[in-house]
Amino acid sequence: MLACYLTWHLRQAWAPLTFTDENPPQQANPVTRASRSAAAQAKASYQHDPAGQPYRSFRGLLDHLATLTRNQVRFAGTTATVSMLTEPASTQRQAFELIGAAIPLTLK
């Protein structure tokens, strides 16, 4: 149940970055076929937001966020290691801003 709850909230928060219909039209009969709003149809046809960033599926956005990595680099001949963080893309930054969280820089 917790995973479903978390997924629901993330889908709502990340709707501006995904193909999710942010303002679905209200149906008089809940059993009838759902229709998409004009804004959702525009998202699907343009494939990119006004800033030029591509819209993604929810799963695609999660895959894109998974590219944020923290690597331990060890120099040959030494025991010293250096932590290197990937530079987050603008979509990744925006995703964290939409959920009100900072991009984690260290593991706790």
Side-chain angles (χ1 to χ4, degrees), residues 47-81:
Q47 301 284 314
H48 289 80
D49 67 7
Q53 296 295 322
Y55 289 117
R56 302 173 194 277
S57 65
F58 180 74
R59 181 72 219 169
L61 181 59
L62 287 176
D63 291 341
H64 183 58
L65 290 171
T67 63
L68 284 171
T69 60
R70 179 176 170 246
N71 300 310
Q72 291 290 96
V73 178
R74 182 171 299 169
F75 296 101
T78 67
T79 59
T81 60

Side-chain angles (χ1 to χ4, degrees), residues 21-104:
D21 193 352
E22 297 177 58
N23 299 307
Q26 295 296 320
Q27 302 285 87
N29 184 352
V31 187
T32 60
R33 184 176 180 193
S35 60
R36 299 173 79 184
S37 68
Q41 290 175 348
K43 273 184 172 182
S45 65
Y46 295 136
Q47 301 284 314
H48 289 80
D49 67 7
Q53 296 295 322
Y55 289 117
R56 302 173 194 277
S57 65
F58 180 74
R59 181 72 219 169
L61 181 59
L62 287 176
D63 291 341
H64 183 58
L65 290 171
T67 63
L68 284 171
T69 60
R70 179 176 170 246
N71 300 310
Q72 291 290 96
V73 178
R74 182 171 299 169
F75 296 101
T78 67
T79 59
T81 60
V82 176
S83 295
M84 293 185 68
L85 302 170
T86 57
E87 185 67 29
S90 61
T91 304
Q92 292 167 331
R93 282 191 191 102
Q94 189 177 6
F96 278 92
E97 288 171 6
L98 287 171
I99 60 172
I103 296 174

